[in-house]
Amino acid sequence: MKHWRSLVVIATTALVLSSSAWAESHSASGSFVPGTSGLSLPSLSLSFANSQKPTELVSIIRIILMLTVLSLAPSILIMMTAFTRIVVVLSFLRQALGTQQMPPNQLIVGLSLFLSFFVMAPTFKAISTNAVEPYLNEKIDQKVAMDRAEAPLREFMFNQTREKDLELFLSLAKEAKPKSRSEVGTYILVPAFVISELKTAFQIGFMLYLPFLVLDMVVASVLMAMGMMMLPPVVIALPFKLLLFVLVDGWELIVGSLVKSFG
């Protein structure tokens, strides 16, 4: 359990620090010299030597473990944020429109990532304010920082997780029914949160398919009535789908509904 919490905290801290650094680098004022980035990067040196002290060996192992966790941080945070629901819904939208590879996968993933940052901004801000900054300033120890960093993420996941899904993993883990949220382990909460997000995304995807499915049926019926049996209805329906999507301002409706669904 402690290793799991450390994994979550280190991954979240890495994302919060990278987001803060990106924002500060774009908002900082001052002189700028063309051809330079305007940022001074610290040097990093890692070396290994013979040592008879066990504490030094422990420190090296901790550094290696931290680097390993940082390499897995994107995968961990994808499963614990709003990314899952957003990327699945946008993928369903592309299939419902029938535009094949438009928008491309890179664009869908990129849009999903930045929408996830937008949705998770209050959570990341709470982690940065209550855990990361005090820990970097040496005002709190590691255990307190872990507890403070884990709390906002757990609160977000609890608000999006169905009780039925949570009960499923509690029964699979053979855990007794908890009396409060604090008694639910994070290793149980995360998979319950993921399948809840998938269910919500599939429900939204079903609603997206309906108007385009009706349009496909209308076009197919018209073509059959006109005797054009060899003409694929998808080819004729695609321009009308795009026209309908543009007229109703589909991107605003879908993105707005997605963001509001996390409220």
Side-chain angles (χ1 to χ4, degrees), residues 48 53-54 102 130 142 148 156 169 195 197 219 243 246:
F48 297 90
K53 298 180 180 180
M102 289 296 157
N130 300 328
Q142 184 178 4
R148 292 185 180 182
F156 172 80
F169 284 95
I195 65 172
E197 288 292 280
V219 172
L243 179 62
V246 171

Side-chain angles (χ1 to χ4, degrees), residues 1 4 79-82 85 120 123 147 149-170 176-197 200 261-263:
M1 183 63 183
W4 175 264
M79 308 305 293
M80 300 173 62
T81 62
R85 181 188 306 184
M120 300 296 297
T123 302
D147 294 336
E150 190 179 23
L153 271 179
R154 285 173 55 89
E155 182 180 359
F156 172 80
M157 289 189 290
F158 268 120
N159 292 335
Q160 309 301 327
T161 303
R162 294 180 174 84
E163 293 184 3
K164 184 178 180 181
D165 298 328
L166 197 58
E167 291 175 356
L168 169 64
F169 284 95
L170 284 172
K177 186 176 181 179
K179 298 180 181 179
S180 62
R181 290 183 172 182
S182 59
E183 298 180 3
V184 179
T186 305
Y187 72 100
I188 294 177
L189 176 60
V190 172
F193 167 75
V194 172
I195 65 172
S196 294
E197 288 292 280
T200 303
S261 67
F262 291 97

Side-chain angles (χ1 to χ4, degrees), residues 12 14 17 47 63 102 130 138 143 146 156 184 204-205 258:
T12 307
L17 289 177
S47 60
I63 293 175
M102 289 296 157
N130 300 328
E138 300 182 353
K143 183 178 183 304
M146 287 183 179
F156 172 80
V184 179
I204 298 175
L258 272 174

Side-chain angles (χ1 to χ4, degrees), residues 7-162:
L7 195 68
V8 173
V9 171
I10 294 175
T12 307
T13 303
L15 183 59
V16 171
L17 289 177
S18 61
S19 302
S20 302
W22 181 86
E24 290 176 359
S25 64
H26 284 72
S27 62
S29 59
S31 59
F32 175 75
V33 180
T36 62
S37 62
L39 296 176
S40 59
L41 299 178
S43 60
L44 177 62
S45 176
L46 180 62
S47 60
F48 297 90
N50 294 330
S51 176
Q52 302 297 328
K53 298 180 180 180
T55 54
E56 295 183 359
L57 179 61
V58 172
S59 300
I60 293 175
I61 294 176
R62 287 180 177 177
I63 293 175
I64 295 175
L65 290 176
M66 184 183 68
L67 294 176
T68 303
V69 170
L70 289 177
S71 65
L72 299 175
S75 300
I76 297 172
L77 292 173
I78 281 174
M79 308 305 293
M80 300 173 62
T81 62
F83 182 85
T84 302
R85 181 188 306 184
I86 295 174
V87 73
V88 172
V89 170
L90 293 182
S91 300
F92 273 131
L93 173 64
R94 183 176 64 181
Q95 294 179 8
L97 285 171
T99 53
Q100 302 300 325
Q101 296 298 322
M102 289 296 157
N105 291 330
Q106 294 86 345
L107 182 57
I108 289 180
V109 173
L111 178 59
S112 303
L113 185 61
F114 281 99
L115 286 177
S116 300
F117 284 150
F118 180 81
V119 173
M120 300 296 297
T123 302
F124 289 155
K125 183 178 180 181
I127 294 175
S128 178
T129 303
N130 300 328
V132 178
E133 294 179 1
Y135 179 71
L136 295 178
N137 295 329
E138 300 182 353
K139 295 181 179 179
I140 57 176
D141 57 15
Q142 184 178 4
K143 183 178 183 304
V144 177
M146 287 183 179
D147 294 336
R148 292 185 180 182
E150 190 179 23
L153 271 179
R154 285 173 55 89
E155 182 180 359
F156 172 80
M157 289 189 290
F158 268 120
N159 292 335
Q160 309 301 327
T161 303
R162 294 180 174 84

